């Protein structure tokens, strides 16, 4: 499965590809906070249409559902059964393998599939409301590779357009990127194991709503670079635009949305305001 990282987290082991990504042309999409993840399409091994969760890719016991009976046998949770049966009946047949976030059943304007509440401009007149974002390619279900979905699936899916605003306004960002490259020459980067622990420590600050102060960390120079890349991301997000026709809320607080995903040959990254969205997600009572 495609796991998308925050730009600032990717630099901890010395991979500075995200700096090139910020300077390049990218494909952008609006990040939508649905749940659960739905995988559907045609199994290349037998040519049959299926629906499921990410468990369709399990190596030992893949849960691939071709019928409502399969869904009931593979997924004991009644709510999940209802969702998957509706998806089986309503999602258009395709010879591809796709993944999207479940928003809800059609017929409404207001949805709260996960942390964010959405109020759409119009009633969603589809059997099931799904926001697709990933495509899988390969000859077997267990041998597939994931890439961000870059084309539109057509009417009935939630796929707003996203783009970067006037690039002439990015002069400060370019200066910050150059400064980040200079700063990186003075940094002792983390090993993969150290990076995992450092991300946990940084997330603890975010969860508790505390300011991240570089000097409170043993490898403070690396955290200074992390903070700079986070600042670059924040400035970059100020330039992002979209045509998503829904108002977004966390609790009673209006927000512009969860964020965006940017994809190019330099990698795939999620652009999210972690102090707002990630903190709420860490602390949400599920």
């Amino acid at each position: 499965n495609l796991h998308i990282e925050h730009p600032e987290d990717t630099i901890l082991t010395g991979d500075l590809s995200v700096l090139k990504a910020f300077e390049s042309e990218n494909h952008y999409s609006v990040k939508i906070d649905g749940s659960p993840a739905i995988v559907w399409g045609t199994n290349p091994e037998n040519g049959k249409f299926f629906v499921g969760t990410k468990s369709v890719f399990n190596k030992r016991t893949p849960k691939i559902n071709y019928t409502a009976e399969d869904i009931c046998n593979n997924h004991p949770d009644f709510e999940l059964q209802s969702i998957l049966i509706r998806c089986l009946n309503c999602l258009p047949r395709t010879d591809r393998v796709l993944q999207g976030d479940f928003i809800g059943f059609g017929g409404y304007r207001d949805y709260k599939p996960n942390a964010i509440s959405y109020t759409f401009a119009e009633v969603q007149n589809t059997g099931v409301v799904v926001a697709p974002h990933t495509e899988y390619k390969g000859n077997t279900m267990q041998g597939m590779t994931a890439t961000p979905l870059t084309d539109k699936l057509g009417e009935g899916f939630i796929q707003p357009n996203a783009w970067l605003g006037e690039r002439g306004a990015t002069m400060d960002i370019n200066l910050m990127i150059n400064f980040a490259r200079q700063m990186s020459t003075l940094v002792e980067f983390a090993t993969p194991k150290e990076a995992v622990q450092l991300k946990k420590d940084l997330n603890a600050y975010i969860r508790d709503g505390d300011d991240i102060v570089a000097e409170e960390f043993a490898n403070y120079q690396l955290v200074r670079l992390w903070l700079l890349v986070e600042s670059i991301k924040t400035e970059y997000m100020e330039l992002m635009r979209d045509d998503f026709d829904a108002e977004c809320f966390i609790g009673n607080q209006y927000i512009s949305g969860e964020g965006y995903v940017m994809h190019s040959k330099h990698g795939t990254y999620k652009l999210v305001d972690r102090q707002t969205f990630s903190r709420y997600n860490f602390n949400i009572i599920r």
Side-chain angles (χ1 to χ4, degrees):
N1 293 317
L2 183 66
H3 177 69
I4 305 175
E5 293 273 12
H6 299 281
E8 56 271 24
D9 285 353
T10 64
I11 60 91
L12 293 175
T13 57
D15 182 359
L16 303 181
S17 300
V18 70
L19 300 181
K20 292 182 179 179
F22 280 130
E23 295 173 320
S24 303
E25 295 293 328
N26 292 277
H27 173 268
Y28 303 99
S29 60
V30 176
K31 197 170 190 305
I32 297 176
D33 181 42
S35 180
I38 303 295
V39 181
W40 77 97
T42 297
N43 186 340
E45 299 172 53
N46 58 22
K48 297 168 69 173
F49 182 81
F50 72 91
V51 299
T53 65
K54 287 184 283 189
S55 62
V56 300
F57 300 117
N58 287 355
K59 291 185 178 180
R60 291 190 177 180
T61 55
K63 297 180 179 180
I64 305 175
N65 308 295
Y66 306 105
T67 66
E69 184 179 2
D70 290 339
I71 292 170
C72 293
N73 289 335
N74 286 328
H75 305 280
D77 181 80
F78 179 75
E79 183 179 2
L80 181 57
Q81 287 179 9
S82 300
I83 291 170
L84 291 177
I85 290 172
R86 179 71 71 93
C87 288
L88 181 66
N89 292 330
C90 296
L91 286 174
R93 271 41 183 170
T94 175
D95 58 2
R96 305 160 77 179
V97 175
L98 303 164
Q99 180 181 326
D101 288 328
F102 176 77
I103 307 300
F105 299 130
Y108 306 94
R109 290 181 60 223
D110 299 313
Y111 294 89
K112 190 178 184 300
N114 203 20
I116 296 180
S117 300
Y118 296 104
T119 297
F120 288 90
E122 298 179 354
V123 171
Q124 299 302 297
N125 289 316
T126 58
V128 62
V129 185
V130 174
H133 54 70
T134 300
E135 179 172 11
Y136 294 89
K137 294 181 180 179
N139 295 322
T140 64
M141 292 298 292
Q142 281 65 50
M144 288 190 161
T145 56
T147 57
L149 184 64
T150 57
D151 64 303
K152 302 296 184 184
L153 298 185
E155 191 174 346
F157 291 101
I158 306 299
Q159 286 183 281
N161 295 302
W163 62 93
L164 190 68
E166 180 58 50
R167 291 190 68 91
T170 62
M171 183 175 295
D172 289 344
I173 294 177
N174 292 336
L175 291 174
M176 294 167 74
I177 290 171
N178 290 333
F179 184 46
R181 287 197 175 100
Q182 294 174 6
M183 184 183 292
S184 70
T185 64
L186 305 174
V187 169
E188 181 180 344
F189 288 102
T191 65
K193 183 177 180 180
E194 291 169 343
V196 169
Q197 183 59 51
L198 185 50
K199 280 192 275 188
K200 289 180 180 178
D201 295 340
L202 291 163
N203 282 332
Y205 275 73
I206 294 168
R207 182 184 61 244
D208 295 339
D210 296 332
D211 291 335
I212 294 174
V213 180
E215 286 70 26
E216 294 179 3
F217 293 79
N219 192 344
Y220 64 90
Q221 289 182 320
L222 178 55
V223 177
R224 281 180 180 172
L225 180 60
W226 184 95
L227 287 167
L228 177 56
V229 175
E230 185 192 38
S231 297
I232 294 169
K233 176 195 71 177
T234 300
E235 292 293 322
Y236 199 88
M237 289 178 66
E238 289 291 323
L239 300 176
M240 291 299 303
R241 303 290 183 267
D242 64 71
D243 59 4
F244 190 25
D245 64 345
E247 294 182 329
C248 308
F249 301 87
I250 286 185
N252 295 321
Q253 177 187 354
Y254 176 83
I255 62 171
S256 59
E258 181 183 354
Y260 302 91
V261 173
M262 70 175 189
H263 170 70
S264 72
K265 64 181 181 180
H266 300 296
T268 305
Y269 307 90
K270 54 186 175 185
L271 311 178
V272 173
D273 178 357
R274 297 173 80 170
Q275 277 64 34
T276 298
F277 178 79
S278 297
R279 182 189 174 198
Y280 183 88
N281 228 13
F282 282 137
N283 291 290
I284 192 171
I285 300 174
R286 299 186 181 279

